[in-house]
């Protein structure tokens, strides 16, 4: 099931197994944990900064409207309410979701565990994905170069610079402009030409 108490029980059991393996020293530990703890602190700090920054960006337009957001919201809702997988399709009665739903199921379960309604969990999931992507980009670039500057460049590249139009949209949204101005111009031109 997808009951919060069961999810918490599974989480506690997983943590207990991890602590048991750590106590029995199943995996080798570093002789000097200082550098590792410093790296963990930096990455946790980066996650927090990215989480707060993207929270500020999403606060300008928290609505679940446009692009694929209604579909994403439907998948999150059915994934958080279902007791079996694949979840039912809310738009096609009697059928199951024919889409990649694992991420939605994970965030749906986390929302159920925290008691968060899916309409708020949607933005929390969006913000968390951004922060995790930044941390992942930082970690990958840091592992490849051993330079924290390149780690930050990796975080930027993965989450913002991959599509420079996305960066322009974020800047426009923060400045109070229209979020999808370039897309609206393209669609407007196509409609006028018909």
């Amino acid at each position: 099931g997808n009951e919060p108490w069961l999810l918490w029980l599974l989480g506690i059991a997983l943590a207990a197994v991890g602590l048991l393996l750590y106590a029995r020293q199943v995996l080798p530990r570093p002789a000097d944990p200082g550098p590792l703890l410093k790296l963990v602190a930096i990455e946790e700090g980066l996650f927090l900064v990215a989480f707060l920054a993207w929270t500020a960006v999403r606060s300008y337009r928290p609505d679940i409207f446009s692009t694929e957001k209604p579909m994403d919201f439907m998948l999150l809702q059915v994934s958080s309410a279902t007791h079996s997988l694949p979840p039912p399709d809310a738009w096609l009665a009697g059928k199951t979701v024919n889409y990649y739903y694992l991420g939605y199921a994970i965030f749906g379960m986390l929302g159920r565990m925290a008691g968060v309604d899916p309409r708020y969990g949607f933005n929390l999931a969006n913000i968390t994905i951004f922060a995790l992507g930044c941390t992942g980009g930082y970690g990958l670039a840091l592992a490849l170069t051993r330079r924290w500057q390149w780690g930050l460049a990796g975080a930027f590249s993965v989450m913002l610079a991959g599509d420079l139009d996305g960066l322009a949209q974020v800047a426009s949204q923060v400045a109070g402009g229209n979020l999808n101005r370039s897309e609206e111009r393209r669609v407007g031109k196509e409609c006028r030409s018909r």
Side-chain angles (χ1 to χ4, degrees):
N2 195 10
E3 296 299 323
W5 67 268
L6 180 59
L7 297 171
W8 276 110
L9 182 66
L10 291 171
I12 291 168
L14 185 62
V17 169
L19 288 173
L20 179 67
L21 292 174
Y22 180 78
R24 293 198 174 182
Q25 297 184 0
V26 173
L27 297 174
R29 297 183 190 173
D32 179 19
L36 180 61
L37 293 176
K38 180 181 175 186
L39 178 64
V40 169
I42 290 170
E43 291 193 5
E44 292 295 328
L46 175 64
F47 179 90
L48 182 62
V49 167
F51 189 91
L52 294 174
W54 203 248
T55 299
V57 170
R58 288 292 300 150
S59 71
Y60 285 97
R61 293 278 304 266
D63 51 341
I64 304 170
F65 178 74
S66 78
T67 64
E68 295 181 356
K69 290 179 188 173
M71 182 192 71
D72 292 335
F73 185 54
M74 179 273 295
L75 289 166
L76 181 66
Q77 279 187 307
V78 297
S79 294
S80 64
T82 189
H83 293 283
S84 63
L85 295 176
D89 192 325
W91 293 344
L92 191 57
K95 301 292 182 181
T96 58
V97 168
N98 187 18
Y99 195 72
Y100 310 102
Y101 58 85
L102 180 61
Y104 300 100
I106 291 169
F107 280 107
M109 288 178 201
L110 289 173
R112 295 230 351 153
M113 290 171 72
V116 175
D117 190 276
R119 61 186 165 169
Y120 305 115
F122 178 84
N123 280 321
L124 288 171
N126 182 286
I127 294 163
T128 302
I129 289 168
F130 179 81
L132 287 171
C134 285
T135 307
Y138 175 85
L140 176 63
L142 182 69
L144 293 172
T145 65
R146 302 283 185 218
R147 302 266 190 249
W148 66 269
Q149 297 92 337
W150 285 110
L152 292 177
F156 174 78
S157 297
V158 167
M159 295 312 294
L160 293 173
D163 180 3
L164 293 178
D165 183 59
L167 182 61
Q169 288 183 27
V170 169
S172 175
Q173 185 176 5
V174 169
N178 189 345
L179 180 62
N180 288 311
R181 193 173 301 136
S182 62
E183 182 65 16
E184 287 175 359
R185 282 194 300 263
R186 183 188 64 76
V187 172
K189 286 178 186 176
E190 288 178 9
C191 289
R192 284 190 299 271
S193 66
R194 290 184 180 165

